[in-house]
């Protein structure tokens, strides 16, 4: 799980974990575990959505305006005094858009796997969603992504290197029809084929100055 561990162990990741933990009243260890599962699920859901040109355009327009990565520049401000309600509302909107009617399944599955109350999981997801969008916004701008195929491959590379536990979660929760589309970009890794170097670790390493 090098990629997400790189993020959660970086100074910015530590700030994210402790901020989310204090906001939800959960331990930092459990919060880190939940974020480590929740962030790939959000990315996986986005990847499923951008398979249509309309879905990709909707995501790109959100990334170029509201979610350009600015949220990552002031995480300290985000968490001081509690997360602003507008950020939580924004997160709820993102989750509704990417997970649709699967949102309750995602929350319940994360609750069962982590032993954390479903209400706290819901709050963690609402905070994680705008941060994932910010990460994606920064990377989209850096990579000059402007169409469906570019967005699809960017999300695929960000999802690369997921541990088996996250792959099975993503497949079970987001790919119930079994066509494998969410994980097509990481299938090579599972099958022992060539693996893109870097993946989420390399991507976040660049963003977090590692």
């Amino acid at each position: 799980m090098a990629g997400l561990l790189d993020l959660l162990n970086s100074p910015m990741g530590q700030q994210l974990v402790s901020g989310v933990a204090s906001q939800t009243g959960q331990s930092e260890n459990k919060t880190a575990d939940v974020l480590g599962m929740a962030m790939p699920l959000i990315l996986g859901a986005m990847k499923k959505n951008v398979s249509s040109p309309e879905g990709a355009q909707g995501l790109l327009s959100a990334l170029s305006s509201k979610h350009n990565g600015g949220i990552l520049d002031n995480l300290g401000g985000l968490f001081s005094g509690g997360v602003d309600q507008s950020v939580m509302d924004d997160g709820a909107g993102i989750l509704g858009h990417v997970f649709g009617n699967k949102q309750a399944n995602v929350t319940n599955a994360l609750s069962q796997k982590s032993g954390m109350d479903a209400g706290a999981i819901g709050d963690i997801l609402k905070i994680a969603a705008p941060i994932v969008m910010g990460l994606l916004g920064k990377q989209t701008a850096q990579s000059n992504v402007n169409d469906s195929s570019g967005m699809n491959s960017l999300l695929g590379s960000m999802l690369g290197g997921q541990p088996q536990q996250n792959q099975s979660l993503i497949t079970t929760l987001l790919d119930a029809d079994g066509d494998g589309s969410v994980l097509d970009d990481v299938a090579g890794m599972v099958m022992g084929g060539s693996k893109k170097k870097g993946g989420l670790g390399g991507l976040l390493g660049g963003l977090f100055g590692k």
Side-chain angles (χ1 to χ4, degrees):
M1 193 170 171
L4 283 169
L5 283 179
D6 284 350
L7 162 62
L8 296 173
N9 289 331
S10 73
M12 189 178 197
Q14 289 296 317
Q15 199 177 15
L16 172 60
V17 170
S18 67
V20 173
S22 64
Q23 175 75 18
T24 56
Q26 301 294 322
S27 75
E28 292 197 8
N29 283 348
K30 271 200 173 176
T31 301
D33 286 347
V34 172
L35 282 169
M37 291 185 285
M39 293 170 85
L41 276 170
I42 294 169
L43 279 176
M46 288 178 181
K47 186 169 187 320
K48 198 160 176 68
N49 289 353
V50 300
S51 54
S52 74
E54 303 79 28
Q57 273 317 121
L59 182 57
L60 280 165
S61 64
L63 294 173
S64 64
S65 52
K66 187 173 184 182
H67 297 286
N68 58 8
I71 191 170
L72 303 173
D73 299 331
N74 187 20
L75 279 183
L78 175 68
F79 292 117
S80 65
V83 175
D84 192 77
Q85 188 59 44
S86 65
V87 174
M88 300 290 278
D89 291 344
D90 183 33
I94 295 166
L95 294 172
H97 188 70
V98 299
F99 287 140
N101 61 4
K102 295 193 171 82
Q103 193 171 336
N105 300 359
V106 170
T107 305
N108 292 333
L110 290 176
S111 176
Q112 284 170 10
K113 284 198 170 288
S114 64
M116 192 185 285
D117 170 72
I121 297 278
D123 284 344
I124 290 176
L125 285 168
K126 283 178 199 164
I127 301 168
I131 288 169
V132 170
M133 287 286 278
L135 280 172
L136 193 55
K138 270 197 188 306
Q139 192 61 20
T140 301
Q142 284 172 12
S143 307
N144 293 320
V145 171
N146 55 19
D147 60 16
S148 172
S149 68
M151 182 54 76
N152 200 41
S153 62
L154 173 62
L155 285 163
S157 68
M158 287 173 78
L159 274 166
Q162 287 301 314
Q164 189 61 48
Q165 156 194 10
N166 280 359
Q167 287 176 30
S168 57
L169 251 187
I170 293 171
T171 306
T172 309
L173 293 172
L174 305 180
D175 193 32
D177 54 357
D179 67 357
S181 66
V182 173
L183 283 172
D184 53 2
D185 287 278
V186 282
M189 181 188 71
V190 184
M191 308 302 286
S194 65
K195 177 170 146 191
K196 282 183 189 160
K197 189 171 187 305
L200 194 55
L203 168 87
L204 296 170
L207 286 177
F208 296 113
K210 295 275 285 183

